[in-house]
Amino acid sequence: MAEEDTVLVDRSTNGITTVTINRPRRRNAVDTPTAQKLYDALLAFDADETSRICILTGSEGTFCAGFDLHTVSQTPLPSAPAAGSPSIAPMGPSRLRLSKPLIAAVEGHAVAGGLELALLADMRIASSTAIFGVFCRRWGVPLIDGGTVRLPHVVGFGRAMDMVLTGRAVDAQEALAMGLANRVVPKGQALAEATKLAEELLKWPQKCMLADRESAYYAAFDAGSFQEAMRNEFVKGSVIVQQESVDGAARFSGGAGRHGDFGAKPVAKL
């Protein structure tokens, strides 16, 4: 397969960007050139004011089988993250914290580094074929793309340790039960369901949604205390009140929201 085809980017006209890992002969395992392309694609999405939501998926029934171990002997040793910089990771974008929502559409295996890429997303839509796992445990390869950092926040420490220490396979239904998957859909429907979810998110006032999202990340990863997180939520949220909440309150006062109709608008401006 030509190197330039290993990552496909579809920028639709409705504000959704879809990034597809496209190395099916390697079960969408990521080599160094592909990692760079994934990194560049997600940074480009984050900087694109016309794109509001990104979907990350894999081609031909597999999300990502991790780093391509066939290339390890030709790959330089990974570098540590640079302080204060969104540096590239071995899997590409896994050290990033995007400013807009990312949804992972998972068919088949999302294992080892592929699991870490799925954890980069805010939500994971899994088909019934999905398998998650720290399969790199079998080959003496540690999690160096955020797996030990993000997984405990998503599923809780005890469940994360179960996955990290054993390297066992977690199917779609168990992933749903532990909160690793947010939705489970029939085989072949993960991307369609992720796109539907993205379209739903586009209906809501965007500044408010992004402020709440960023506050949750700040509380989980940045705040030094509970009170600091609470203050950050109030200070940042208060700015949004004048920008979007006043208009929303006026629509509510005028009768919006009755009978489940919230008067959602498509793609509000940032």
Side-chain angles (χ1 to χ4, degrees), residues 27-173:
R27 301 181 70 192
N28 294 328
V30 170
D31 61 1
T32 298
T34 304
Q36 183 69 58
K37 292 178 185 301
L38 283 171
Y39 178 80
D40 292 343
L42 289 191
L43 278 183
F45 155 72
D46 215 39
D48 184 357
E49 294 183 358
T50 68
S51 192
R52 305 290 192 258
I53 315 287
C54 185
I55 299 170
L56 177 63
T57 193
S59 65
E60 298 189 24
T62 298
F63 182 75
C64 175
F67 192 79
D68 188 349
L69 296 182
H70 294 281
T71 69
V72 167
S73 61
Q74 293 87 40
T75 302
L77 290 174
S79 59
S85 171
S87 58
I88 189 169
M91 291 294 296
S94 58
R95 290 176 187 158
L96 298 177
R97 188 161 107 191
L98 301 177
S99 65
K100 295 178 285 189
L102 175 66
I103 303 169
V106 180
E107 299 276 350
H109 285 74
V111 297
L115 171 64
E116 293 176 296
L117 284 180
L119 289 168
L120 175 63
D122 300 287
M123 292 180 282
R124 284 150 294 279
I125 307 302
S127 89
S128 58
T129 67
I131 296 291
F132 300 89
V134 186
F135 282 18
C136 47
R137 178 64 56 248
R138 306 170 183 184
W139 314 113
V141 179
L143 295 168
I144 55 175
D145 279 81
T148 63
V149 177
R150 288 191 170 97
L151 186 62
H153 282 277
V154 173
V155 303
F157 189 81
R159 284 169 166 162
M161 286 300 97
D162 182 358
M163 293 183 67
V164 168
L165 298 179
T166 68
R168 68 183 181 86
V170 172
D171 66 19
Q173 288 302 323

